[in-house]
Amino acid sequence: MTQPQILLFTIFAAVVAAMVHGRLRPDLVAFAGLLAGVVAGVVPAETAFSGFAHPAVMTVALVLVVSAGLTRTGAISALARLLSNPALPVSLHVARLGVVGGLLSSVMNNVTALALLMPVDIATARKARRAAGLTLMPLAFATVLGGLVTLIGTPPNLIISGLREGHSGAGFGFFDFLPVGGIVAVAGILFLALFGWRLLPRRDTGGDASAPPEALMRGYLAELVVPEKARVLGRSRADLAALCEGCEATLVAIQRRGRRVHGPDRRVTLELGDILLIEAVPTRLEELRLEMGLAYPDGLSADAPRIAGTGEEMVEMVVGAGSRLRGRSARQARLAQDHDAVLLGILRQGRMLRARPRDTALATGDILLLLLPEGRAEALAAPLRLFPLDGRETVMQEGRAVLAAGLFAAAILAASLGLTSMPVALGGVVVGYLMAGILNLDTLYDSIDGPVIVLLAALTPLGAAIDSTGGSALLAGWLGAATAGLPAWVGLAVLMVATMTVSDLLNNNATAIIAAPVGLRLAEATQTNPDAYLMAVALGASCAFLTPIGHQNNTLVMGPGGYRFGDYWRIGLPLEMVCLAVGLPAILIFWPL
């Protein structure tokens, strides 16, 4: 092993360790790794930022913009609402929503597809009086599987196509992934609908048809302020606890001037400005507030009540992977000052956080209970990259749905016929959306997921360095030696399993960038078809179902579904086995060695 290879592998090991640890954002880790590569001399300084001009990175950005345009027309939202049928059996519901989610993911960003269908699934579960956790994970996995079908369905496919173009002079076509990806997607969705959802644990009242709607709602630890005219002023903590019990809520603590009040329940009485920590579902919290004459905090001062000039509503939203709230508290993000929103409660991994909401650093997948003026949910969600869970849809450009879909279809056709490249075709769609008023410049830039773009652009030169320093050939040699004397398909299977395993712990885009050059060198060493290895890497990188960190969609459903880290392998392990059992023969048939 040469010195450049040792330096590069050390950098990658540090990058992988930091990403798996999860304390720092993946885009920051990748960019720091790129700079470390430049300083170490393994990445040429003149090509350090070439990733930002890479066709795959540009295509990912354009796909995000086009997805936003299709969403804003309201066509997809209308389709999603038609799918809400609480009378359907769970298997049929999962199959129906999974097929639609897969089809949407094949032509748009799969995170966007999940964000559109997740509120529909949750609303349907509530109407059917079953646990949303039975169907949310299958839906998330179905949208991931749908990305396998086309070139633009998921970033790893674009990365693989770009590497193939650099290797042989031509990338994959739009539908080249369909034979293998389509078969795997169909098999995976069938498994999810027939068996997968049955493997998930049932932790709430999902099967109890007699349970009230409130029993299916999530409880939060929220703050209520004692204002001047509160009916509980001077009442003891014992009286207050009894009132809370009557409203099916729990009094957790009383805070006064930043400290918790201790003492006998009968002797502790409420004073002006006291803050009550109440555990309750949102409807019961509001009932309790009205009955006691309490107020919500204003989000600025600890003991100041919120004074609303208009109607207000409580909304549940999920923190997305690219949210501007990640790693920041509500106070640091200036939610109250800049957005007139108050954070009332937080759920993380299905569990209620006991810390004060506005001082808690937020993480991907957190469910936030927000108080904000009526009609402001969409205006808040878009810039902060939050996903509403209440199923409401805002149709902004409904009359232009046909135009938006037509422009997109024309771009796909032009790229498929070889009339132009995919980035140019999608760029034409974006221009068309701007000229037609479907998008404006503000929404265009808001729809681009900056962290994903930086991640891809930073890792692309590092991936190229693995190949140029001979690192990929070294890894391919080790893999070849481990499978020496065995049929070539065994090495293909080992590469696919290794890619799946790494992708479960690392970002799937990073996994594709690392594994694809190894596949190409393995093909050269064995004198076999390199396309088969690239397809195996593409499939393995996207089939990450064992952990909530393997894919953004896995993370997004963790809170709403009430899942724990260990729940994913229950359904993810057999699903990955299905993908391997179906995908490997499909690769050998359509891309023979």
Side-chain angles (χ1 to χ4, degrees):
M1 188 180 295
T2 64
Q3 183 179 1
Q5 291 172 350
I6 294 174
L7 288 172
L8 192 58
F9 285 147
T10 302
I11 291 172
F12 261 106
V15 168
V16 170
M19 286 188 177
V20 171
H21 186 258
R23 189 72 178 268
L24 299 175
R25 287 174 41 151
D27 52 324
L28 174 60
V29 172
F31 195 76
L34 173 62
L35 296 181
V38 174
V39 172
V42 293
V43 176
E46 59 272 14
T47 63
F49 303 111
S50 60
F52 288 94
H54 196 279
V57 177
M58 193 64 191
T59 303
V60 171
L62 292 170
V63 167
L64 292 171
V65 176
V66 172
S67 297
L70 291 171
T71 302
R72 286 172 63 86
T73 62
I76 296 173
S77 300
L79 174 63
R81 284 194 297 270
L82 291 175
L83 299 174
S84 180
N85 185 353
L88 288 178
V90 177
S91 290
L92 191 54
H93 171 78
V94 171
R96 189 180 186 185
L97 215 60
V99 168
V100 173
L103 290 174
L104 290 177
S105 296
S106 67
V107 294
M108 67 190 305
N109 179 259
N110 43 27
V111 176
T112 304
L114 176 62
L116 289 169
L117 296 177
M118 187 163 57
V120 177
D121 190 35
I122 293 173
T124 304
R126 286 179 177 172
K127 292 176 184 176
R129 298 184 182 275
R130 66 166 178 261
L134 287 178
T135 54
L136 274 177
M137 191 184 295
L139 173 61
F141 288 172
T143 56
V144 174
L145 290 167
L148 301 171
V149 177
T150 65
L151 174 64
I152 65 172
T154 186
N157 288 5
L158 291 165
I159 294 169
I160 297 298
S161 179
L163 289 172
R164 183 182 191 255
E165 185 174 4
H167 181 262
S168 62
F172 286 114
F174 187 83
F175 293 110
D176 283 349
F177 292 89
L178 178 59
V180 174
I183 290 174
V184 173
V186 170
I189 292 174
L190 281 175
F191 166 79
L192 292 170
L194 297 177
F195 308 105
W197 66 272
R198 304 176 192 272
L199 303 176
L200 291 169
R202 306 189 184 196
R203 296 195 176 97
D204 51 31
T205 58
D208 186 1
S210 63
E214 290 81 0
L216 299 178
M217 298 178 68
R218 289 167 285 269
Y220 293 86
L221 183 68
E223 295 177 331
L224 291 177
V225 178
V226 179
E228 290 183 2
K229 299 181 181 180
R231 288 186 286 276
V232 291
L233 273 172
R235 302 284 293 271
S236 70
R237 181 162 54 189
D239 294 337
L240 190 60
L243 290 173
C244 288
E245 186 176 349
C247 289
E248 299 181 21
T250 302
L251 175 64
V252 176
I254 300 174
Q255 290 189 337
R256 183 174 298 159
R257 291 182 285 277
R259 296 184 178 182
R260 292 200 175 190
V261 179
H262 299 282
D265 289 352
R266 287 293 177 187
R267 298 185 62 181
V268 174
T269 57
L270 292 185
E271 299 179 4
L272 177 66
D274 282 352
I275 300 172
L276 311 182
L277 298 180
I278 306 290
E279 180 182 324
V281 300
T283 53
R284 298 308 189 196
L285 184 67
E286 177 64 7
E287 290 176 9
L288 184 67
R289 185 189 71 84
L290 293 174
E291 182 171 336
M292 297 185 180
L294 301 172
Y296 294 113
D298 70 351
L300 300 175
S301 177
D303 56 359
R306 180 175 175 85
I307 301 175
T310 60
E312 295 193 305
E313 58 186 349
M314 282 188 283
V315 179
E316 291 178 305
M317 294 188 180
V318 179
V319 179
S323 174
R324 298 176 186 175
L325 298 181
R326 285 185 66 234
R328 306 169 70 193
S329 66
R331 190 199 301 271
Q332 292 170 334
R334 295 174 56 88
L335 268 182
Q337 297 95 322
D338 297 343
H339 301 280
D340 198 17
V342 176
L343 178 59
L344 297 179
I346 306 170
L347 290 181
R348 179 168 296 166
Q349 298 182 9
R351 299 178 181 179
M352 185 187 310
L353 290 191
R354 294 288 177 175
R356 298 193 67 178
R358 63 194 183 119
D359 294 323
T360 301
L362 303 176
T364 301
D366 284 354
I367 301 179
L368 311 182
L369 180 64
L370 295 165
L371 179 71
L372 64 163
E374 284 183 330
R376 288 286 302 277
E378 286 294 328
L380 176 71
L384 296 182
R385 300 190 188 281
L386 303 174
F387 300 108
L389 292 181
D390 57 359
R392 292 171 301 168
E393 302 290 344
T394 300
V395 179
M396 304 179 67
Q397 300 282 349
E398 189 172 6
R400 299 178 185 177
V402 175
L403 174 60
L407 288 172
F408 180 63
I412 298 302
L413 181 62
S416 301
L417 295 176
L419 301 178
T420 185
S421 66
M422 184 58 67
V424 173
L426 292 176
V429 176
V430 172
V431 172
Y433 283 1
L434 290 171
M435 295 182 66
I438 295 173
L439 291 174
N440 56 45
L441 288 176
D442 289 336
T443 55
L444 183 152
Y445 289 113
D446 283 340
S447 63
I448 297 176
D449 195 342
V452 171
I453 301 304
V454 172
L455 175 73
L456 291 176
L459 288 177
T460 297
L462 280 174
I466 285 185
D467 199 40
S468 62
T469 60
S472 57
L474 181 65
L475 294 174
W478 291 345
L479 184 57
T483 57
L486 299 174
W489 66 265
V490 176
L492 185 69
V494 171
L495 176 65
M496 189 171 168
V497 171
T499 306
M500 278 184 175
T501 304
V502 173
S503 192
D504 281 316
L505 300 175
L506 188 62
N507 180 278
N508 57 353
N509 302 319
T511 302
I513 291 173
I514 295 171
V518 176
L520 289 175
R521 298 307 172 192
L522 185 60
E524 290 179 359
T526 56
Q527 296 296 305
T528 49
N529 182 11
D531 289 342
Y533 294 90
L534 290 178
M535 282 291 167
V537 171
L539 197 62
S542 292
C543 292
F545 305 118
L546 295 185
T547 68
I549 61 176
H551 193 280
Q552 292 183 31
N553 286 16
N554 299 6
T555 308
L556 285 179
V557 298
M558 190 174 189
Y563 302 123
R564 298 171 186 169
F565 197 97
D567 292 338
Y568 285 79
W569 70 268
R570 293 170 176 260
I571 177 175
L573 181 59
L575 179 57
E576 287 194 4
M577 294 174 65
V578 168
C579 294
L580 180 64
V582 174
L584 185 60
I587 292 173
L588 295 175
I589 292 172
F590 293 101
W591 304 93
L593 292 171

